[in-house]
Amino acid sequence: MASELIKGIRAQGDRCLMIDLGDQIDQAVGLRCLTLADSLRQASLPGVLDIVPSFTAVAIYFEPSTVIGDDPVAYLTGVVQDIIGQIAEGAQLTARRIQIPVCYGDKHGPDLEDVAKRMGLSPEEVVQAHHGSICRVYMIGFAPGHPYIGIHDERFALPRREVPRTALPAGSLGIANRQSTIYPNVLPGGWHIIGATPLRLFNAKAAQPTLLMPGDEIEFVPIDDHQFDEIKAQQEQPA
């Protein structure tokens, strides 16, 4: 059973080992990637510099000279196989639960009306469907602190916009392909923007620069314009 969970293990040069667990976005595969990454971090392996999960794989970055044994790839492969066995036996992911306040629609969500038409719902029903269940951060990518959150139900299986925007405000909440994302800074993007959060997702000067991490459980909480402005003002105050 454990061996069946691994689709492939491959060295990416002499300082990275890639563990493939799937080939498409799938909730079960994504959760296994997160659990493997979490277990590897808890193992505090000598020589391992970083562990980066995605929806389908986990990358292990290491310093060859400080990994146990003469063959770092063989050693790390053995560790991964042991941990995969634990996951197959029911090892659980340790995760935080984080609330993300979102002001949906109007100036904060210019695509909400169009998304509602595409989904055959009212804007209110889209909002309800979006925040009505707990989601999870499956990976961070594209830009520092930029989360990929999901996996939403089939109604959110919308392709990205045909014409991306060249600049989206920080905090913009977008949906596409049954996922949500939040733009941590002013960035270009082609996702459908249905709202925005006043929270600051990335702060390079902070001890922990990213607000969200892979594995975090996300609860979207609707707020109004007044609440948005209040929280935004608090975020901008010096620590």
Side-chain angles (χ1 to χ4, degrees):
M1 174 62 179
S3 60
E4 295 176 358
L5 299 182
I6 300 177
K7 303 302 180 184
I9 299 179
R10 50 199 169 92
Q12 300 284 83
D14 66 345
R15 296 169 185 268
C16 178
L17 189 66
M18 188 71 72
I19 316 301
D20 296 309
L21 300 181
D23 54 13
Q24 62 183 355
I25 293 177
D26 176 85
Q27 186 167 329
V29 172
L31 187 58
R32 282 197 289 271
C33 290
L34 292 171
T35 305
L36 173 59
D38 182 55
S39 298
L40 286 167
R41 291 191 193 98
Q42 292 185 43
S44 299
L45 301 171
V48 172
L49 305 176
D50 200 4
I51 299 162
V52 183
S54 71
F55 273 105
T56 61
V58 176
I60 305 173
Y61 294 91
F62 59 90
E63 169 53 55
S65 64
T66 54
V67 175
I68 294 175
D70 297 328
D71 189 338
V73 169
Y75 169 73
L76 292 173
T77 296
V79 171
V80 167
Q81 290 172 334
D82 288 343
I83 291 177
I84 284 291
Q86 297 170 19
I87 293 173
E89 293 174 2
Q92 298 295 310
L93 172 68
T94 56
R96 303 181 300 171
R97 173 74 62 86
I98 298 178
Q99 290 188 334
I100 302 294
V102 178
C103 189
Y104 291 94
D106 297 327
K107 65 181 180 181
H108 296 297
D111 296 327
L112 179 59
E113 294 280 350
D114 181 59
V115 166
K117 291 178 182 177
R118 289 169 178 258
M119 293 175 64
L121 301 172
S122 68
E124 294 76 18
E125 288 172 328
V126 173
V127 171
Q128 177 61 43
H130 185 261
H131 78 80
S133 60
I134 302 300
C135 300
R136 189 182 298 277
V137 177
Y138 282 90
M139 58 180 283
I140 302 292
F142 177 61
H146 185 105
Y148 289 78
I149 304 167
I151 299 172
H152 300 301
D153 67 52
E154 293 286 352
R155 293 176 295 178
F156 286 94
L158 301 177
R160 298 186 187 189
R161 290 167 50 89
E162 292 184 5
V163 180
R165 293 181 172 94
T166 57
L168 289 167
S172 295
L173 170 66
I175 62 166
N177 302 316
R178 297 182 63 189
Q179 301 170 60
S180 292
T181 193
I182 304 171
Y183 291 84
N185 294 300
V186 177
L187 291 166
W191 295 48
H192 305 277
I193 306 303
I194 63 171
T197 180
L199 297 184
R200 187 175 185 180
L201 267 70
F202 180 74
N203 180 3
K205 297 181 179 180
Q208 172 56 52
T210 58
L211 175 65
L212 303 180
M213 295 292 290
D216 288 344
E217 293 181 339
I218 302 300
E219 180 181 359
F220 293 111
V221 180
I223 59 174
D224 58 28
D225 277 328
H226 178 68
Q227 292 170 305
F228 182 97
D229 292 340
E230 281 191 334
I231 298 172
K232 184 76 170 177
Q234 294 171 1
Q235 294 281 300
E236 293 173 350
Q237 293 178 357

